[in-house]
Amino acid sequence: MSDVRDAAQQQFGASAEAYRVSPVHALGADLVKIGELARGLRPRRALDLGCGAGHATMAVAPHAAEVLAYDLTPAMLQQVEILARERGAANVLTRQGDAERLPFGDAEFDLVVTRYSAHHWHAPDAAIRECFRVLAPGGVLVLSDIVAPEDPLLDTHLQAAELLRDRSHVRDWRVSEWQQMLARAGFESEVLMRWHLHLEFASWVTRLATPPSRVDAIRVLFDQAPDEVKAFFRVESDYSFAIPGALLRAVKR
């Protein structure tokens, strides 16, 4: 699995600043919802798992005594520190590491959030078990991510486009799969939000510096896709499209 981790560090290290300023990541109704959930919980200590440039961290920070931003890529953590200085969020700390092996003790956190990160986990069951372990009883995991459609044809086309664009991509999991993983770990979960995220094609491939040959392959994939696939993903003439997302709330009882 080191190849997947190496690919993630290389790609996201080179594009870290682009993620700090990307509207796709800096904005969104799910980000607002994460802030609302944090405000209701008022966690003593919160963890942003796979924090990227830190947008979910900043949504939680006004409502927590301390937020730990945790990511595999050191360059992303540097972007979190920049964002924290810009926002005056003195309660934000950073730490580097893997999602599947958290360097924290049992029951250290009241809230764990993860946003647009879980599709890179190579062992999601292990990561979810780790979230359960580090949460205090009654603690909450908020998972917000792109999700695969339940229909196999749509699922296959989404994974193909994602992998062509991003060699560190593992899988956009279906909501049903996330709920099964959460249940296996001991969580009680519910889906709080669903949406379609519009992706402007040029910026989507530019953000990760996708090689031109792979960009062309994605265009061919969309050109040759069945009409039902084009309709579901709302493929436009410039290849911009929309993908489904979901936000799940899981409680450690």
Side-chain angles (χ1 to χ4, degrees), residues 14-244:
S15 61
E17 185 175 3
Y19 277 79
R20 179 166 59 86
V21 300
S22 162
V24 169
H25 297 84
L27 305 172
D30 68 313
L31 200 58
V32 174
K33 188 65 174 179
I34 289 170
E36 291 174 352
L37 291 169
R39 184 173 65 244
L41 189 60
R42 293 284 176 182
R44 175 187 55 84
R45 197 163 186 235
L47 172 66
D48 183 1
L49 180 57
C51 61
H55 299 295
T57 300
M58 296 305 139
V60 172
H63 314 296
E66 178 184 288
V67 186
L68 183 61
Y70 182 84
D71 200 272
L72 181 66
T73 307
M76 283 294 191
L77 297 176
Q78 293 172 5
Q79 297 302 315
V80 177
E81 291 165 358
I82 292 170
L83 203 56
R85 287 196 297 271
E86 291 175 350
R87 305 279 181 90
N91 61 335
V92 171
L93 304 175
T94 60
R95 187 161 178 178
Q96 189 267 339
D98 291 341
E100 293 87 354
R101 293 187 298 274
L102 300 181
F104 311 116
D106 297 351
E108 281 197 30
F109 299 95
D110 305 304
L111 173 66
V112 175
V113 301
T114 183
R115 180 176 185 256
Y116 293 158
S117 169
H119 57 275
H120 293 289
W121 297 348
H122 73 269
D125 266 304
I128 293 296
R129 288 195 300 270
E130 281 289 85
C131 291
F132 189 88
R133 180 183 65 79
V134 302
L135 276 169
V140 174
L141 166 64
V142 178
L143 189 154
S144 179
D145 203 8
I146 300 309
V147 293
E150 298 291 331
D151 179 87
L153 175 67
L154 301 173
D155 184 336
T156 297
H157 277 76
L158 175 60
Q159 309 302 336
E162 289 269 50
L163 187 58
L164 284 167
R165 181 245 185 181
D166 175 7
R167 62 194 177 96
S168 72
H169 177 74
V170 176
R171 176 167 171 76
D172 296 326
W173 298 90
R174 302 173 182 180
V175 168
S176 61
E177 292 172 322
W178 278 126
Q179 291 189 305
Q180 290 164 9
M181 284 186 267
L182 290 164
R184 283 196 293 268
F187 284 107
E188 294 181 9
S189 70
E190 60 180 332
V191 180
L192 296 187
M193 288 181 62
R194 291 180 183 263
W195 64 92
H196 268 75
L197 178 67
H198 180 266
L199 295 171
E200 196 274 321
F201 186 80
S203 60
W204 182 64
V205 294
T206 300
R207 192 157 49 244
L208 277 182
T210 304
S213 61
R214 286 176 170 253
V215 175
D216 289 342
I218 299 170
R219 292 193 178 105
V220 171
L221 179 71
F222 284 152
D223 283 340
Q224 297 182 354
D227 288 344
E228 65 222 73
V229 172
K230 294 177 183 177
F232 180 86
F233 292 111
R234 306 175 189 178
V235 180
E236 301 172 14
S237 59
D238 66 351
Y239 298 98
S240 297
F241 65 109
I243 50 179

